[in-house]
Amino acid sequence: MWWLKAAVISVSVFLVLGERDFPLGFIFGAATSAYQVEGAWNVGGKSCSIWDTFVHTYPERIVDNATGNIACDSYNKWKTDVELASELGLHFYRFSISWSRLLPNGFPNNISEDGKRYYNNLIDALLEKRIQPLVTLYHFDLPQSLQDFGGWTNPLVADWFAHYARVAFSLFGDRVKFWITLNEPITFCDIAYNSGSQAPGYISPGVGNYICNKNAMLAHAKAYRIYDKEFRSKYNGKVSIANEIFWLEADTVNDEEAAEKARQLMAGMYCHPIFTKQGGWPPVIERIIAEKSKENGLPYSRLPPYTEEEIELVKGTFDFMGLNFYTSRTVRNAKPGEEIGPWPLIGSSDIDVILGVRPQWKQTGVSWFYIYPEAFRKQLAWLKKEYGDIEILITENGCASSNLDVDDKVRVQYYKDHLEQVLLAINEDGVRVMGYTVWSLMDNFEWSDGYSVKFGMYDVDFDSPNRTRTPRSSADYYASVIKRHSLDVNNKIIDKL
Ligand code: GBH
């Protein structure tokens, strides 16, 4: 009576799915990005990206004048990286392609054999271990040759990106089923152009950031449309964008309106055009920036408008939503005449708000990073309310430390507390979270913080030419969560927390 046995097994599987178990199809992964791990900045015909230029031109803007010239040497050590991913039992590994390694002049008429070989090797090695590759097309490293034409502020960048995306889809799409077009446009648009702390290092607050924002939305959309038209029927993959969203909450009950405006500036500018039925900019922000621009004496808005056609092009270009979640801020109205620093680091002079933190949020030892796990659930619920019942993949979540501790209890606690909130979002709020990605598989070049800030489950010895990778407690913990598909793990690390 095999059917009875099967029924009993499936009923009991159903029954034993406890509160601390993840849904059956839930997937776990870890992430890195090309510039942060590959090194080999000038090897095999690769040309410079804006990060190569940035670190070489302004060494003083990076802690210890660090560069990604060698980084984790993943260009040579990709086999080891796949080993680490496999030791952890990852379902998928999220990495990014270096545009200027694959297309050294930025354009699709010169595909690098070396670049092709490198990414083919990595993809094939992952698949051999039954690890799905999840590929980000753009993680902050624009070819310098395209920056020379204005980079993300030139509207042609949307087509340059789309042509690059087509090359990647056609080379790797037979094996890659998950694609992220752009990683965190808020970082390479708002942080970059408002503060200059990210490549290309130009400061153009309230202007460059908005031009970049619009062009990034169009670039994403064009790549998505190409996948849809030319590849989907053959390859049947999924494509989206990964947005970083700090949870923003009202400082006091009087700041609720300010907080909602700020959410529209942080999340809305990169989600509303894609994930809503209306498309286009969040109306409240579009109106405010138009008014501000008028006050500035401009006969047009600093926020470039979308045409009807562009709204249609961008709207609905997603198969799921990618979310990078780390930290939170409070929001309050700025006082009249109060000096306001750059968005999204300190505040926004366009919407007249100031960001802060609560004293009870523990700082990680990294300037921008305060821990508030409950915010994760609030963020997921807000996204569902705002954009509907869409599938969400956590494309990054993780914890920074500034010390070398291999027994990284704070990081284990962070994963546990944040995964608990993910489970609550799924079980209590009905948010359709598909999976979770740890940033990062290993320590790597943490942008302007160089190697002084560490996110890795594996410690990397940057003093050794071997770039030796050593698992931390967090690697052990994450592996047991994945294996058990649950937070109910018998793990000695948990007992020590
Ligand atoms: C993500 O950025 C990135 O996708 C990833 O590459 C990165 O390594 C990871 O998270 C950890 O940071 O020093 O005040 O200028 C998260 C957003 C943007 C947060 C840059 C830190 C610098 C703040 N990051 N930001 S500041």
Side-chain angles (χ1 to χ4, degrees):
M1 287 217 285
W2 62 271
W3 55 270
L4 182 61
K5 210 164 158 190
V8 168
I9 288 171
S10 53
V11 165
S12 57
V13 163
F14 180 73
L15 286 179
V16 297
L17 249 195
E19 294 193 321
R20 295 177 66 77
D21 298 334
F22 289 91
L24 288 178
F26 194 90
I27 49 177
F28 289 98
T32 60
S33 88
Y35 187 74
Q36 294 177 276
V37 302
E38 284 179 5
W41 70 285
N42 58 357
V43 172
K46 177 184 170 294
S47 70
C48 280
S49 80
I50 54 175
W51 268 93
D52 292 307
T53 307
F54 189 64
V55 302
H56 295 147
T57 316
Y58 310 109
E60 71 287 354
R61 295 199 199 178
I62 316 288
V63 173
D64 299 330
N65 304 341
T67 75
N69 290 358
I70 304 175
C72 304
D73 197 23
S74 287
Y75 176 79
N76 295 305
K77 300 191 69 90
W78 53 275
K79 278 188 187 149
T80 315
D81 295 345
V82 174
E83 281 301 318
L84 308 185
S86 169
E87 272 172 31
L88 291 170
L90 299 186
H91 302 135
F92 65 92
Y93 175 48
R94 177 179 175 222
F95 64 91
S96 81
I97 294 178
S98 157
W99 186 342
S100 65
R101 189 181 299 289
L102 191 61
L103 304 180
N105 66 5
F107 299 123
N109 60 342
N110 171 19
I111 303 175
S112 155
E113 282 305 317
D114 187 69
K116 230 163 53 178
R117 179 190 53 78
Y118 176 67
Y119 296 111
N120 272 328
N121 281 342
L122 178 56
I123 290 166
D124 291 341
L126 287 166
L127 288 171
E128 223 165 89
K129 299 273 187 189
R130 296 177 191 279
I131 301 167
Q132 290 293 319
L134 188 155
V135 174
T136 307
L137 289 170
Y138 184 76
H139 201 122
F140 308 166
D141 48 354
L142 193 76
Q144 180 60 40
S145 57
L146 303 181
Q147 186 61 50
D148 295 343
F149 302 127
W152 287 102
T153 60
N154 184 335
L156 290 175
V157 73
D159 288 313
W160 302 333
F161 178 74
H163 285 290
Y164 157 55
R166 180 186 282 115
V167 171
F169 295 150
S170 56
L171 290 175
F172 311 121
D174 56 337
R175 288 152 293 153
V176 174
K177 302 301 165 190
F178 283 100
W179 295 92
I180 292 292
T181 54
L182 306 177
N183 182 66
E184 296 187 354
I186 194 173
T187 301
F188 68 79
C189 293
D190 294 59
I191 297 186
Y193 286 95
N194 288 339
S195 83
S197 68
Q198 302 268 319
Y202 300 138
I203 304 183
S204 167
V207 180
N209 58 308
Y210 294 134
I211 299 174
C212 176
N213 187 336
K214 183 183 170 190
N215 293 336
M217 296 293 92
L218 294 176
H220 157 78
K222 288 191 174 191
Y224 182 94
R225 299 289 178 204
I226 285 175
Y227 191 85
D228 228 17
K229 230 201 233 135
E230 302 171 25
F231 300 94
R232 188 181 297 281
S233 61
K234 269 193 296 216
Y235 295 147
N236 203 24
K238 287 180 193 266
V239 183
S240 194
I241 187 168
N243 280 314
E244 187 201 27
I245 312 179
F246 287 7
W247 170 244
L248 298 176
E249 74 181 23
D251 188 15
T252 70
V253 286
N254 301 324
D255 300 306
E256 195 39 64
E257 201 191 317
E260 191 54 31
K261 251 189 324 190
R263 285 175 209 133
Q264 292 301 336
L265 189 63
M266 174 154 303
M269 293 297 280
Y270 297 95
C271 291
H272 196 277
I274 298 172
F275 297 100
T276 63
K277 300 234 152 48
Q278 315 84 289
W281 298 123
V284 53
I285 303 296
E286 192 163 31
R287 182 176 51 72
I288 294 173
I289 299 174
E291 285 164 13
K292 285 273 179 177
S293 303
K294 217 183 239 166
E295 283 170 28
N296 303 147
L298 283 169
Y300 50 82
S301 178
R302 280 182 279 108
L303 181 62
Y306 285 96
T307 63
E308 278 309 313
E309 208 181 325
E310 287 168 342
I311 288 180
E312 290 306 314
L313 173 74
V314 179
K315 218 167 75 173
T317 52
F318 67 93
D319 300 317
F320 61 94
M321 174 188 270
L323 170 66
N324 294 359
F325 179 86
Y326 289 93
T327 188
S328 302
R329 292 290 184 274
T330 56
V331 183
R332 66 169 173 83
N333 286 300
K335 300 180 187 97
E338 188 173 359
E339 185 91 32
I340 306 177
W343 177 261
L345 305 174
I346 296 169
S348 162
S349 50
D350 269 335
I351 61 165
D352 292 297
V353 300
I354 305 266
L355 305 180
V357 293
R358 298 205 197 281
Q360 60 269 34
W361 299 348
K362 228 168 71 197
Q363 201 176 357
T364 53
V366 181
S367 62
W368 56 277
F369 200 152
Y370 296 79
I371 302 180
Y372 176 30
E374 292 78 7
F376 205 176
R377 177 179 174 188
K378 294 182 187 184
Q379 183 71 75
L380 288 163
W382 185 86
L383 288 168
K384 180 181 173 186
K385 172 176 80 55
E386 203 62 17
Y387 304 115
D389 194 12
I390 56 185
E391 284 193 296
I392 298 179
L393 178 65
I394 314 296
T395 34
E396 287 180 28
N397 177 244
C399 182
S401 63
S402 50
N403 61 31
L404 293 163
D405 216 347
V406 167
D407 189 12
D408 54 343
K409 293 196 191 64
V410 175
R411 188 172 287 109
V412 173
Q413 185 83 51
Y414 183 99
Y415 293 175
K416 175 173 167 288
D417 292 346
H418 284 75
L419 283 166
E420 274 169 6
Q421 296 298 319
V422 170
L423 278 177
L424 288 170
I426 295 172
N427 295 332
E428 303 297 319
D429 309 331
V431 183
R432 293 202 287 152
V433 185
M434 305 153 59
Y436 175 86
T437 315
V438 163
W439 183 275
S440 174
L441 178 64
M442 60 193 150
D443 295 342
N444 54 53
F445 178 78
E446 179 54 19
W447 309 116
S448 51
D449 286 318
Y451 299 99
S452 68
V453 168
K454 296 161 190 308
F455 274 90
M457 290 183 281
Y458 284 79
D459 165 272
V460 176
D461 182 357
F462 292 102
D463 294 327
S464 148
N466 293 328
R467 297 296 191 270
T468 315
R469 286 110 159 107
T470 309
R472 295 199 170 102
S473 298
S474 51
D476 193 18
Y477 173 70
Y478 195 47
S480 53
V481 169
I482 296 174
K483 192 161 177 210
R484 188 68 187 74
H485 210 69
S486 174
L487 289 182
D488 256 336
V489 291
N490 292 324
N491 192 304
K492 57 186 184 312
I493 295 151
I494 291 297
D495 303 336
K496 287 193 296 183
L497 290 181

